[in-house]
Amino acid sequence: MDKRIPVTLLTGFLGSGKTTLLNKLLQHPDMHDTAVVINELGEAGLDHILARTVENQHIADNMVLLESGCLCCTLSNEMADTLRDLFFKRALQAIPQFQRLVIETTGLADPGPIMANLLNEPVIGNTYRLDAVVVTVDSVYGLQHLEQHAEARKQAAVADVLLISKVDLATPQQLLALSEALTTLNPGATQHRITHGHIDPQALINVGLFDPETRQAKPQRWLRAPAKPRGMLPTALHDDDIRSFTVTLPTHLRWETLQPVLQRLCDQFSEQLLRLKGILHVEDAPAPLAVHAVHATLYQPTLLEGWSEAEPMTRIVLIGKGLDEALIRKQLMQI
C-alpha cells in the first residue's frame, strides 16, 4: 500500500468553472481532511472561495482552517516550497493532519510541469503521489477553447477525469459535439456533466491507482487504456496532433532492461510527451509495477503488492503531441 498523500490536480481553461467547483467541494463533509492549495494568480482569489466561511480560524501564514475542517492556503511561493511547508507543518502538528491534497491551478497553466514538480523533487516525491488530473471544460465555449488554445488541449489530453461544466447553459448539440471531441482527444478519461459545480467528491478524489475502500491497487482503472478514437476532430485539433495510444509488450521482460529504454524515449520525445502511464509485469520484481512519466522525467515505479492479473499483460499508454507512434512501437518491441 502506497502511504504517500494522494494529490488531485484541478485545472481547466479560464472561466470553465474551477472556482465554483472548488467552492462546492469545500462544503462537502467528505473533504474535511483535505488540504487545498490555490494559485493566487487565478481568475478568482482565495477570498471568493472562503466567502461563506465567516468563522474561519487562521492557523498559519497564508493558511486558513475552514469550518468543514479543510485546510486552505494560497500558492505564495514556488510549488515545491509550498508542498514541503505543508508536509513539515503537518508532521509537526502545526496544521491539521490532512489525508489528501487538491491543487487548483490558473486557467492558462500547462499541467505537465506541475505534474513533474509533484514527483521530481525528492522530498515531494517521497511524500506525495499524483492521484488524478481533473479538468473542467466549459460546455458552451469548450470546443472553441480546444480549437484556439494549446493550453486547453494539453489540459484535456492529460486528464483522468473531464468535467463538462455549465451544462444548463448548453444545447444538446453543443454537449454532444464537445463530448465527442473530448472522447477523440482523450478516449481514456472519464467524463461527467455538472451544473453549478455540483458533483460527488468521490468522483474526483481517490480515483487513481489505489481504491480507498479496499486499500488495494486498481491499475486497470488508473491506466484507462484508450480505446479506438471515435468521431472526427475539428481541423484545428487535428493540426495540433495530440493523441494517445497503447503499446502492449511481450512477456519475460526485466525492469533493469526496460527502464533505460523508457528513459531514452522520455529524453527523445521530451517536449512532445505529455504523459506516460504503464502496468509492467517484469521478472525482476516481486509484483507488477505501475510506472508514470511526464515529459523527460520517468518516476520511480510503484510496486503493486497483492495484485495480479489472470493473464499478465504489460502495456504502456502514451499521450503526446506529434509522437512518432511507429518509431516508439519499434523501439519498445526490440527490448
Side-chain angles (χ1 to χ4, degrees):
M1 176 62 188
D2 192 331
K3 296 183 179 180
R4 292 175 296 171
I5 299 168
V7 177
T8 300
L9 180 63
L10 173 61
T11 188
F13 201 69
L14 295 167
S16 60
K18 296 186 303 302
T19 299
T20 300
L21 171 68
L22 195 54
N23 202 359
K24 297 297 183 182
L25 290 176
L26 292 180
Q27 299 174 47
H28 199 286
D30 285 356
M31 299 291 287
H32 73 277
D33 56 356
T34 302
V36 181
V37 174
I38 302 173
N39 191 327
E40 62 183 5
L41 298 179
E43 61 268 27
L46 184 62
D47 290 342
H48 177 74
I49 295 291
L50 307 180
R52 287 198 287 269
T53 56
V54 295
E55 300 293 333
N56 295 330
Q57 174 189 355
H58 291 264
I59 57 177
D61 291 342
N62 302 309
M63 296 184 190
V64 177
L65 182 62
L66 305 185
E67 288 178 332
S68 64
C70 296
L71 178 72
C72 257
C73 71
T74 55
L75 184 60
S76 57
N77 49 18
E78 292 295 328
M79 175 85 65
D81 292 338
T82 297
L83 299 191
R84 277 194 298 267
D85 288 348
L86 280 172
F87 171 72
F88 287 126
K89 288 176 180 176
R90 174 182 183 267
L92 294 171
Q93 299 185 348
I95 59 176
Q97 296 293 304
F98 61 90
Q99 301 303 313
R100 68 177 66 86
L101 176 68
V102 175
I103 299 175
E104 185 261 356
T105 75
T106 65
L108 293 175
D110 180 346
I114 297 174
M115 287 190 288
N117 255 336
L118 286 176
L119 301 171
N120 200 29
E121 205 274 350
V123 172
I124 295 175
N126 291 329
T127 306
Y128 300 93
R129 62 175 173 84
L130 180 65
D131 181 62
V133 179
V134 177
V135 177
T136 54
V137 184
D138 188 298
S139 61
V140 177
Y141 298 106
L143 194 58
Q144 178 182 331
H145 292 160
L146 292 174
E147 292 175 353
Q148 297 179 356
H149 301 281
E151 296 88 353
R153 292 190 292 274
K154 288 181 180 179
Q155 291 166 356
V158 302
D160 297 296
V161 181
L162 289 164
L163 301 180
I164 300 176
S165 62
K166 311 175 188 178
V167 297
D168 56 318
L169 303 179
T171 66
Q173 293 78 15
Q174 286 175 315
L175 291 172
L176 179 60
L178 177 59
S179 180
E180 289 183 346
L182 290 172
T183 299
T184 305
L185 186 62
N186 186 349
T190 57
Q191 293 184 20
H192 300 275
R193 296 180 179 184
I194 62 174
T195 301
H196 304 304
H198 289 287
I199 189 170
D200 186 341
Q202 296 306 319
L204 312 180
I205 60 176
N206 297 319
V207 296
L209 186 56
F210 292 95
D211 188 315
E213 299 296 329
T214 64
R215 315 292 286 180
Q216 297 296 314
K218 294 290 185 181
Q220 302 101 322
R221 177 187 68 174
W222 169 76
L223 192 63
R224 293 182 179 90
K228 185 177 180 180
R230 302 180 311 203
M232 295 295 292
L233 284 174
T235 302
L237 273 67
H238 270 303
D239 292 343
D240 200 55
D241 198 21
I242 294 179
R243 61 194 185 92
S244 60
F245 58 91
T246 301
V247 179
T248 301
L249 298 181
T251 56
H252 308 299
L253 294 172
R254 297 180 63 81
W255 172 243
E256 65 177 5
T257 303
L258 184 56
Q259 189 272 342
V261 175
L262 292 178
Q263 185 59 66
R264 283 198 297 272
L265 282 176
C266 290
D267 292 336
Q268 182 177 358
F269 296 99
S270 172
E271 293 303 313
Q272 298 162 273
L273 182 62
L274 301 178
R275 198 170 183 188
L276 177 151
K277 295 191 289 186
I279 300 296
L280 314 178
H281 293 268
V282 291
E283 295 182 338
D284 52 343
L289 301 176
V291 66
H292 182 66
V294 176
H295 292 307
T297 305
L298 177 66
Y299 304 109
Q300 188 71 22
T302 299
L303 189 66
L304 304 179
E305 294 179 334
W307 178 79
S308 62
E309 290 183 286
E311 297 182 11
M313 182 187 305
T314 290
R315 61 271 198 202
I316 298 172
V317 174
L318 299 100
I319 304 169
K321 177 179 178 180
L323 293 175
D324 189 332
E325 180 178 349
L327 178 60
I328 291 173
R329 288 186 179 277
K330 180 180 179 180
Q331 293 184 20
L332 288 173
M333 297 303 293
Q334 289 178 343
I335 299 175

